[in-house]
Every structure is written in structure tokens, then in C-alpha cells.
Amino acid sequence: MACNVYRNGTGLHKGAMRPLAASNSSNVKSSSFKSRIPPSSNHSPGSAPLRRSKSAGGSDGVPGRVRVAVRLRPRNAEESVADADFADCVELQPELKRLKLRKNNWDSETYEFDEVLTEFASQKRVYEVVAKPVVESVLDGYNGTVMAYGQTGTGKTFTLGRLGEEDTSARGIMVRSMEEILANVSPETDSVFVSYLQLYMETIQDLLDPANDNISIVEDPKTGDVSLPGATHVEIRDEQDFMELLRTGEAHRIAANTKLNTESSRSHAILMVHVKRSVLGAEDVIPSETDKSSHFAKPPKPLVRKSKLVLVDLAGSERVHKSGSEGHMLEEAKSINLSLSALGKCINALAENSAHVPVRDSKLTRLLRDSFGGTARTSLIVTIGPSPRHRGETTSTILFGQRAMKVENMLRIKEEFDYKSLSRKLEIQLDKLIAENERQQKVFDDEVERINLEALNRVSEVERNFADALEKERLKCQMEYMESVKKLEEKMIENQQKHGCDGFMKDKCNGEGPVSSIVEDVAEVKKLLEKEIHMRKEAEDEVNKLKSQLGQCPDSGEGGGSEILKLQKALADEVRQKKKLEEEMIILRSQMLQLTFEADQMRRCLGRNGSANAYGGLDSPMSQVRDSLNGHKTPVAALFEQVGLQKILALLESEDANVRIHAVKVVANLAAEEANQERIVEAGGLTSLLMLLRSYEDENIGRVVAGAIANLAMNETNQELIMIQGGINLLSVTASRAEDPQSLRMVAGAIANLCGNDKLQTKLRSEGGIKALLGMARCGHPDVLSQVARGIANFAKCESRASTNGIKSGRSVLINDGALPWIVQNANNDSSPIRRHIELALCHLAQHEVNAKDMISGGALWELVRISRDCSREDIRSLARRTLNLSPIFRAEMRRLRIEV
């Protein structure tokens, strides 16, 4: 049997357990007091309707007499043989709610009860007439008690504690009561807690924790409430939890084999169910000061009602000469009879309205002081047997029930103001006000932004006009500056020739050789550039000339047709030549800018070595060349501005492999800066790179293209474009083709960036991105492994986020694809970047409970424990510790292995 402890049990002061209105006759008929309780329409959502009454702290209450039902047990096999020649000692009249007790063949006594249940009454019928009104009152906020009393072997435990696991129709009052309670409470606002105890030899023991075998009773000196603070309290969420609790308690309850019952209970079982429900109080009507007829109502107050249901399976009373008890069983029988005798004395005192009620004679009466003469609604079922051999015990049981019917309780509801509910309501209102304020603030900010944008547009227009004028002036100054540079270079060369460069180089530091070489290279590149410009101009003139000749040619005749074909061929040759010249000019410009940059770096190096003074004449012109050519910008940025993005992208389709490689390098360098990525994508650079990746033959081109795509993949918008244009599949194919570690590093970096996008998880797996990432681990190069580990960490993080938001269920894709062994193997890698990414990946995988068993079998649990203890980064260490503590499966495994975190 099971029992549940209520922390603040309801009780009265000593000597206060008196009936408020005792009946003058032992034969009393009474209907349920439930109709006397005024109804209330306010109740919590999802709960059964509740009734309103005064608070438990008030002086008023609802009177309610103890209701008593009698149940007759059918004859057992022994009685059918031994009493075959004798009639039953009782005769039931259920339609009149009467019972006749035969003294002999010609004399009998008649008794009336609230309910008379024959041996054919079903368990459902017993529950509905005995316990259901009490359970409904408990749901309304009143305390309630259902108790079974009778001789041993008459069916008390069957009536109350039958589990009915094989036959649900045989379920007892305990199981059916909890079913109705759980069906009428709201999981969001209400709670149900249960304790299961037994009173054995005047000692209160916890059936849910056998080690807790001496629980003390605590009484509140002010209110007289009785509580058992040492008992186990279990919150019940569903019927399965309660059935498991009853099975546990039944296994620990003490029983013995006697002559009257093969499984005689040797203790009183007490199941306590504490119900806490949230309700709304009645609206307070306040009259108006100016008009007495008008009024307004305050909103209802949130209240909490706390009620307690006590189900008591009393041990059976017995006579020693009939039960055959001896030794320790005899001591148990004495203790049972003493406690039942004390209960009978209290009921007699209450029935006779005595000034003193001996509630302290037994722990049983102290626990039940609220059930008889207190504030609880109480139903008593007395069980009797038909055998005439036990007429004395049957008579005693019937008289006990008759006296109990004279006890009347004063029922009260215990209500408290629900501060938590009101606080939550106010928090919701506050959140709404904050949201409205934020919305208004956003509207104001948008208006301010619009005004600022208009002002900025006007300022920008003025700045553009000013910039145009400034640009014209700058070009004019630049031309003049170039002339000055040219004159200074000529003067420098003339001075070197005059003073003798050879002797000077011997006397000074040995750094002039490289500088002179670079100056000569710059001059040579300049000449080539001027030559190419001149050739381009001549080619353009020639093309224009051919076009004009083509327009003047006659449009008829064979001679005219052949002339047109010649001109068209010549024109096509000129166009190809022009395109080739443009490509060479772009390359030459980039080389010239790079050489200029290197010359400037060499000058600074020589300046640091003390040669600045010796080369003062050289410093000025070189710096001037650098400033005039690139405007203090890097060579790539200068090339970007001078040549134009469209021309650079056009070189990606050049027939010359060297030109393509050079163009891809320039695009990759440009894509490394976030400011250039949008312009590259808008100009079609991403599409060109993917086409080049699809058809490349030179591995150098593949490596540089993959690096450029990796740079573009750092932007979330570009990641989706890469997916749409089939970039994931192309990168997967490239990963399978590449052998060079640097190429694999670029491809792995691009896929790792894509792994960080939540929207691409499905595509990455379906198009082979994850398998390609894991396949690149074959290389073994630290740089490649670092990118692979980063991609796995990004993918695991997105999976964890999707599982937390309820978007994804089931095992991790990484575990399904066989990545877990590699992750565990590299979790303690010597390389710090690899180790950090793998540690993060393990933590994210462990956050999803469905992965826990695979991680334990794969050895990942030990790595998580190591990370939680030894990881150098505090955030990863805390994440691993929190993940292990939150997972029930990990906690159970660590307890089994005796691991502490």
C-alpha cells in the first residue's frame, strides 16, 4: 500500500475534536453533504469546476456528518465447507439501506447505514458511493478521508489498495481516486504530491524509503496542524508513476500468515494525496460614492487552494485464540488492537459530545484528528464477513460504524493569496508595455533615420560635386607631378654618372644593387607599358579605319563580297590582337605596381640600416612614383580601381593559362576584403569562379579558385548563392580530385564556412559535402585537419541549435556518417586549433540526448570528462561540465563508472 505525507497537515487544538451536531439516534439516514456546498464558476483553465467557500482561516464552515457504508464479503472456500449447514449471520437489505444481524434463529437486530453493499457489489460501485463524493470535495478545495475498518480477512485491502493490473475492473479506491484527480487537474497550474506510510507497532515508517523507519509527528502550536516533515514526497504526473509508487509501497508493507488470513496486514497503511490548485476569487463589488445604484467590480484575485486526501487501510482487528498469533505476531496483534481501541474511544467521545477526546493515546488518532471532528469530509467503509462463527467480531464492527455516523465535521477550504500567479500576470503586462514602448521607439527611430537619410543624400550630392571638381584638379596636379618626377630621375642618373657609381658603392653599404635593379625594372616596365599603349592606339585606329572602309564598300557583286570577307577577317584579327594587348597591359600594370611596392619596401629596409642619407636622391623619386601610381594603397586595391572589376573578371575566361591564374589570384585577394565581396558577386564573379572550378585542368587554378570561393563563403548571402549554383557538389568533387595539401586546405575551408549556415544542413549531406569534408582528413596535414575540425564544429553547433528549437530530431548526421571515431581520436590532438574545434564539436553533439548512447559506446564520454577537467579554455570547460550534468543518460553512466565531474 502507499502513503503520501502532507507537509502542513490540517488539525485542531487539543481537546477541540468535538462533533458540532451529533445525532440522537444510532440509526441515521443522511444524504451527501455535497449539495450543501455553494457552487462557484471561477476555476483554473483546464480544470474541473470549483466551489467557493470561506477561507480556512475563517470561522464559518459547512457541516458534514461522517458517512458510513457497510460491505459484505462473500464466503470463502473454508467457510463454504465449515458453515455449510448454517445460514449467514447477516441479512442485507440494500434497497432500504438496512442490515439485519441475526442473534439466533428467531431474534435479529436491524441497523441502517448510508450505503449497504452486498457481496456482489463491484469495485466501481463501491468507489462511486463511498469515495467519489470525497474525491470531488478534495478537488473543490476541502480535505477528505476514506477509511476501511473491519475484522482481519474481510476485504479491507482489496477494497482500498487493489492495483488491478491484470483486471482493471478490480482496481481499488486508491487507484480510482488518483485517476479522477489526475483527470481534473491542470498540469500547468496545479500540482499533486503523494506520500505512502505505514503505522507499525506505534512507529511511523516510510514505505517509499524503508530506511526512514521512525518518522515523527509535528504539530503547529498555533493552528494545531499535523505534519510529517520526514516523509518522502513524490510529485505525480501520470497514472503510471502512481502505479509504480503503489507497487513499491506494497512490497515494503508488513504482512503475515494467520489462521484467519494468509496475507494479514500487520500495519495501518496511510496514503496521503496533497492537491494544490490555482483559482480566481470572486469579484469584489464597490458601490459608487455619487450614485449608490451604480457600482464597479475589481478584477478577481488569484488564489491557491490546498487540499488533502487521506486513504487509510486499517489493520484488521483480531482475537488471538482465533488468529493463532504467538510470539512476535502476538505483539503485533496487541499493538493493532490498542490503536484500534484508541480510535474507538475517540469516536465514542465525539459521538457522545464529551468534553475530552483522547486523541493523544495513539499515533493513529493523532494522524486522523482532522478526519473525525475536524475539517475534513470523511467516508468510512466497514467490512464484515458472513460466517456465524465470527458473529461477535461482526457485531463489534457494525457498532463501530454506527457510532462513527454520529460524528459531524465542520468542513473548510484552505485558501491563500497566489502571489506567484499575480506576479506572472504583472510580468506579462510589463512585457507588453515594454514591447509597445519599443515599437513606438522604433517608429520614432525610423522617422529620425529617414530624416537623416535625406540629409545624407543632400550632403552626398554636394560632396560628389565637390569630388568631381577636386578630381579634375588632382589629375592636373598629377600630370605636373609626373613631369617633375621624370626630371628628377634624369637628374639623379646624371649625378650618378658624374660622381661614379662604382666607387660610391664600394664606400657605402651593399644595399644599392637591389634598389638600382628595381629602378631599372620599373623603367623597363614603364617603357613596355608606353609601347603597349602606343600599339593599342594604333590598333584602335586601324580598326576604325577598317570599319570605315567596310561601310564604304559596295554591298553587291562577287568582288565586293570577297573584299568584305577580307575586311571582316582583318577586323577579327585586330579585335583578338586588341584583347591580347589589353590582357598584357593589365598584367604589366599589376607587375609594375608590385615592383613599385617592393622597391618602396627595400628603401625602408635600407633606411633602417642607415643608408637613407646616402640614397636621399633616390628616396624622393621612388616615393613619388609609388604615391602617384597607387595613391598610398596596396597594389591589388590600386589595380582594382585603375583596371576595373569587369575587365579583371573577363580575364578568368582567357585562353592563356598564365593570364587565368593571375586573374584568379587578383579576384581571390579582392574577395578577402568584405567590402569587395558584394561587388564581385553582383558582377558575376561567383558564377565565373564556379564555372572555372567545374572545368579546370591545372591544379594551381583549382587551388586558387577554391580559396576565392572560401573567401566569398564567409558571407551568409553568398553561402546560399553557392548552394543554389551547385557549389557544394563542385567542392565535393574537387575534394576527391585534389591531392595537394594546400588545395585540400582551401576546399576544406570553403566547406567549413558553409557548415556554419543552418539553412544548408540538408544540402551539405545530400550533395556529399559532409562526406567530402571527412574524406579530406586522409591527408593528415595539420592545416587541412584544422579546417576539417572547424567544419565539424560548425555543423554540430547548427545541429544542436536545430534540435533545441525542435526543428530536428533523431541522431546526428555526423554520427550516421561515421565521424564519431575520428572526432574521438583527434579530441586530444597536439595542435591547439584542431583540439579546440573537436572539443566544441563533442560538447554540441552531447547536448542532444539521442546522441548520448552512441557517444558512450564510442568512448566520447571519457573525452567529455577530460574536457570538463583539463580544457585550457574556461568557456569550453564549463560547457562540457554543464552538458554532462544536464543529461540523465550521462549522469547514470558516470554513476555506474563512479566518475565525478
Side-chain angles (χ1 to χ4, degrees):
M1 314 313 296
C3 145
N4 201 323
V5 174
Y6 187 50
R7 296 174 182 247
N8 297 311
T10 306
L12 298 174
H13 292 294
K14 181 177 180 181
M17 294 179 63
R18 305 173 184 173
L20 298 178
S23 173
N24 295 324
S25 172
S26 63
N27 300 330
V28 180
K29 288 184 179 181
S30 174
S31 61
S32 170
F33 71 90
K34 187 176 178 182
S35 60
R36 305 181 189 179
I37 304 173
S40 172
S41 60
N42 294 327
H43 56 88
S44 60
S47 305
L50 300 174
R51 295 164 175 80
R52 293 281 297 122
S53 178
K54 296 285 186 180
S55 172
S59 59
D60 296 335
V62 177
R65 178 178 59 77
V66 175
R67 299 181 75 252
V68 181
V70 62
R71 186 182 194 186
L72 176 64
R73 172 182 60 77
R75 287 192 177 192
N76 54 32
E78 180 184 354
E79 292 171 347
S80 298
V81 175
D83 300 333
D85 298 331
F86 301 95
D88 292 347
C89 66
V90 293
E91 178 185 349
L92 303 184
Q93 296 176 334
E95 65 280 356
L96 300 176
K97 298 184 179 180
R98 289 179 181 174
L99 177 147
K100 285 186 178 182
L101 178 64
R102 294 191 180 95
K103 292 184 177 181
N104 45 50
N105 291 334
W106 58 85
D107 190 13
S108 63
E109 292 182 352
T110 302
Y111 300 94
E112 291 186 359
F113 289 91
D114 294 302
E115 293 290 343
V116 175
L117 303 167
T118 67
E119 65 271 29
F120 305 108
S122 65
Q123 292 282 72
K124 181 179 179 182
R125 167 69 176 163
V126 173
Y127 169 76
E128 289 178 347
V129 301
V130 176
K132 186 171 183 178
V134 178
V135 174
E136 290 176 348
S137 299
V138 170
L139 291 170
D140 289 344
Y142 297 90
N143 289 342
T145 302
V146 178
M147 186 168 65
Y149 178 90
Q151 182 190 7
T152 182
T154 55
K156 298 183 299 301
T157 301
F158 178 84
T159 301
L160 256 73
R162 184 77 170 181
L163 297 183
E165 293 180 299
E166 297 179 356
D167 182 7
T168 56
S169 64
R171 291 173 297 177
I173 290 176
M174 288 183 178
V175 178
R176 294 176 185 272
S177 299
M178 184 54 67
E179 286 179 353
E180 183 159 356
I181 290 174
L182 292 176
N184 287 275
V185 297
S186 172
E188 292 79 11
T189 59
D190 305 336
S191 63
V192 179
F193 284 87
V194 171
S195 296
Y196 201 8
L197 309 172
Q198 70 175 357
L199 180 60
Y200 176 71
M201 301 284 288
E202 283 300 302
T203 302
I204 300 176
Q205 300 176 357
D206 195 335
L207 290 175
L208 303 181
D209 183 11
N212 190 9
D213 57 358
N214 190 12
I215 301 173
S216 59
I217 300 175
V218 177
E219 294 185 19
D220 191 327
K222 295 182 179 179
T223 63
D225 290 347
V226 176
S227 61
L228 301 171
T232 301
H233 306 270
V234 178
E235 185 174 6
I236 301 299
R237 292 290 185 181
D238 51 42
E239 183 182 351
Q240 187 63 32
D241 294 343
F242 182 67
M243 295 294 289
E244 185 65 28
L245 181 144
L246 288 182
R247 282 192 289 269
T248 302
E250 187 178 7
H252 295 146
R253 190 177 179 188
I254 299 173
N257 184 7
T258 66
K259 292 181 180 179
L260 297 177
N261 190 357
T262 57
E263 293 184 1
S264 176
S265 300
R266 314 307 292 169
S267 65
H268 307 300
I270 306 168
L271 179 70
M272 293 186 178
V273 182
H274 300 277
V275 181
K276 180 180 178 182
R277 307 192 73 187
S278 298
V279 298
L280 296 177
E283 297 180 351
D284 296 330
V285 178
I286 303 176
S288 174
E289 295 181 358
T290 58
D291 187 0
K292 294 184 178 181
S293 62
S294 63
H295 59 271
F296 63 93
K298 287 185 177 180
K301 298 179 181 178
L303 301 175
V304 175
R305 288 182 180 173
K306 297 179 180 179
S307 56
K308 174 175 65 175
L309 173 64
V310 181
L311 302 172
V312 185
D313 179 16
L314 294 174
S317 61
E318 62 183 53
R319 294 184 179 179
V320 176
H321 70 277
K322 290 187 177 182
S323 64
S325 299
E326 59 183 10
H328 184 68
M329 290 177 57
L330 179 59
E331 296 299 323
E332 292 175 341
K334 290 179 180 180
S335 176
I336 292 171
N337 289 336
L338 284 174
S339 60
L340 293 176
S341 176
L343 178 61
K345 290 178 182 179
C346 289
I347 290 178
N348 288 340
L350 290 166
E352 296 170 0
N353 199 17
S354 175
H356 173 67
V357 180
V359 293
R360 295 189 176 273
D361 289 356
S362 170
K363 288 187 178 180
L364 177 63
T365 55
R366 293 177 67 188
L367 288 172
L368 298 177
R369 66 186 302 175
D370 191 45
S371 303
F372 294 96
T375 62
R377 179 180 188 185
T378 302
S379 284
L380 173 66
I381 180 168
V382 293
T383 57
I384 58 176
S387 176
R389 291 180 295 160
H390 304 302
R391 180 180 288 107
E393 289 83 351
T394 302
T395 302
S396 175
T397 300
I398 291 172
L399 293 178
F400 179 89
Q402 289 290 301
R403 289 191 295 271
M405 289 177 67
K406 298 178 182 180
V407 178
E408 186 165 345
N409 297 343
M410 183 61 67
L411 312 180
R412 295 189 181 94
I413 294 178
K414 185 176 181 180
E415 289 182 343
E416 296 177 358
F417 188 76
D418 192 356
Y419 293 98
K420 292 184 179 179
S421 176
L422 181 60
S423 176
R424 287 194 299 269
K425 183 177 179 181
L426 293 176
E427 286 178 357
I428 293 173
Q429 292 179 356
L430 180 61
D431 291 340
K432 291 181 179 179
L433 292 175
I434 292 174
E436 178 63 21
N437 182 60
E438 290 178 351
R439 187 189 65 79
Q440 295 179 358
Q441 183 65 33
K442 187 177 183 303
V443 172
F444 176 76
D445 292 341
D446 292 342
E447 182 66 19
V448 172
E449 184 178 358
R450 185 186 64 79
I451 296 173
N452 289 337
L453 186 61
E454 291 180 358
L456 288 175
N457 290 335
R458 295 178 183 177
V459 172
S460 299
E461 184 177 357
V462 174
E463 287 179 349
R464 281 196 302 271
N465 296 334
F466 178 76
D468 292 342
L470 188 63
E471 179 66 18
K472 293 179 181 178
E473 187 67 23
R474 188 188 69 80
L475 291 175
K476 179 180 178 182
C477 294
Q478 187 175 3
M479 295 301 296
E480 295 176 354
Y481 194 73
M482 290 293 293
E483 292 295 330
S484 301
V485 169
K486 186 175 181 181
K487 291 180 181 179
L488 288 173
E489 286 179 351
E490 293 175 354
K491 186 176 181 180
M492 179 189 68
I493 294 171
E494 183 180 351
N495 289 335
Q496 287 179 351
Q497 292 176 353
K498 183 177 180 181
H499 293 91
C501 292
D502 294 337
F504 185 76
M505 288 173 63
K506 292 179 181 179
D507 295 337
K508 301 296 179 181
C509 67
N510 296 324
E512 184 180 347
V515 176
S516 300
S517 175
I518 291 173
V519 171
E520 292 174 358
D521 290 342
V522 171
E524 183 178 355
V525 170
K526 278 186 176 183
K527 291 179 181 179
L528 289 173
L529 183 60
E530 292 175 356
K531 182 178 178 182
E532 293 294 340
I533 292 172
H534 180 69
M535 292 174 64
R536 177 182 176 182
K537 185 176 180 181
E538 290 180 352
E540 289 178 351
D541 294 341
E542 185 67 21
V543 168
N544 293 332
K545 181 179 178 182
L546 290 173
K547 285 182 178 180
S548 62
Q549 290 177 359
L550 181 62
Q552 295 174 1
C553 286
D555 197 20
S556 62
E558 296 181 357
S562 61
E563 186 67 23
I564 289 173
L565 291 175
K566 290 180 180 179
L567 290 175
Q568 287 179 345
K569 184 178 180 181
L571 182 60
D573 292 340
E574 291 295 338
V575 171
R576 284 195 297 272
Q577 183 68 19
K578 178 182 177 182
K579 183 177 181 182
K580 185 175 181 180
L581 289 173
E582 288 179 349
E583 293 175 356
E584 292 178 355
M585 286 175 63
I586 293 173
I587 294 173
L588 289 172
R589 284 188 179 182
S590 62
Q591 291 176 352
M592 179 178 176
L593 292 168
Q594 186 65 32
L595 289 172
T596 304
F597 181 74
E598 292 175 358
D600 184 58
Q601 293 295 107
M602 181 62 69
R603 178 194 59 77
R604 293 182 179 178
C605 179
L606 294 175
R608 285 194 298 269
N609 292 332
S611 303
N613 294 332
Y615 292 91
L618 179 63
D619 181 30
S620 176
M622 288 301 297
S623 175
Q624 292 169 356
V625 170
R626 173 179 59 102
D627 293 343
S628 63
L629 287 175
N630 59 23
H632 299 281
K633 296 183 180 179
T634 61
V636 174
L639 182 64
F640 184 58
E641 291 184 358
Q642 294 182 12
V643 177
L645 180 60
Q646 290 293 346
K647 291 184 178 180
I648 296 174
L649 295 178
L651 296 182
L652 295 176
E653 302 175 3
S654 175
E655 298 177 356
D656 191 340
N658 293 327
V659 173
R660 287 201 305 273
I661 293 175
H662 187 80
V664 172
K665 287 181 179 179
V666 172
V667 173
N669 290 331
L670 290 173
E673 298 182 11
E674 187 176 357
N676 300 331
Q677 292 179 1
E678 183 178 357
R679 298 174 62 184
I680 292 174
V681 173
E682 289 178 353
L686 177 59
T687 304
S688 300
L689 290 172
L690 292 173
M691 292 177 62
L692 194 58
L693 187 64
R694 183 179 290 108
S695 60
Y696 79 93
E697 296 179 356
D698 190 338
E699 188 168 355
N700 292 329
I701 294 179
R703 179 178 65 253
V704 180
V705 170
I709 294 175
N711 289 338
L712 292 175
M714 291 186 293
N715 182 280
E716 183 176 354
T717 304
N718 296 342
Q719 292 171 359
E720 297 179 9
L721 292 175
I722 292 172
M723 177 199 69
I724 293 172
Q725 299 184 28
I728 298 176
N729 186 40
L730 285 175
L731 291 170
S732 302
V733 174
T734 305
S736 63
R737 292 170 55 187
E739 296 293 339
D740 178 51
Q742 294 304 319
S743 299
L744 291 173
R745 180 176 69 87
M746 295 295 184
V747 177
I751 297 178
N753 289 337
L754 297 175
C755 286
N757 193 320
D758 295 313
K759 302 176 183 178
L760 306 183
Q761 300 292 295
T762 305
K763 279 285 187 180
L764 280 168
R765 188 187 186 192
S766 62
E767 297 188 8
I770 299 301
K771 289 188 177 179
L773 188 68
L774 297 174
M776 285 185 281
R778 71 185 185 277
C779 174
H781 194 278
D783 293 341
V784 179
L785 294 181
S786 177
Q787 295 300 325
V788 172
R790 182 170 69 89
I792 290 175
N794 289 343
F795 194 87
K797 182 177 181 181
C798 292
E799 273 196 332
S800 175
R801 189 159 51 234
S803 299
T804 302
N805 295 333
I807 301 173
K808 180 186 181 301
S809 60
R811 289 198 315 171
S812 169
V813 171
L814 296 173
I815 294 178
N816 290 335
D817 287 353
L820 186 59
W822 186 86
I823 294 174
V824 174
Q825 180 183 356
N826 289 272
N828 202 14
N829 196 289
D830 294 335
S831 176
S832 176
I834 299 174
R835 185 172 63 255
R836 185 181 76 252
H837 291 312
I838 293 297
E839 289 172 347
L840 282 171
L842 280 173
C843 291
H844 291 310
L845 287 174
Q847 288 179 339
H848 194 25
E849 192 73 10
V850 75
N851 299 330
K853 292 184 179 179
D854 294 295
M855 296 184 71
I856 291 173
S857 62
L861 175 60
W862 294 101
E863 293 300 333
L864 284 170
V865 173
R866 178 191 62 77
I867 293 168
S868 67
R869 294 174 177 173
D870 305 331
C871 182
S872 58
R873 285 183 46 172
E874 175 63 26
D875 56 339
I876 300 178
R877 193 163 61 248
S878 300
L879 179 60
R881 191 181 301 112
R882 183 170 65 253
T883 302
L884 289 173
N885 290 332
L886 290 178
S887 171
I889 297 178
F890 284 141
R891 288 203 307 271
E893 183 68 13
M894 288 191 293
R895 281 197 301 270
R896 188 182 71 82
L897 299 174
R898 297 181 180 179
I899 301 174
E900 295 183 0
V901 178

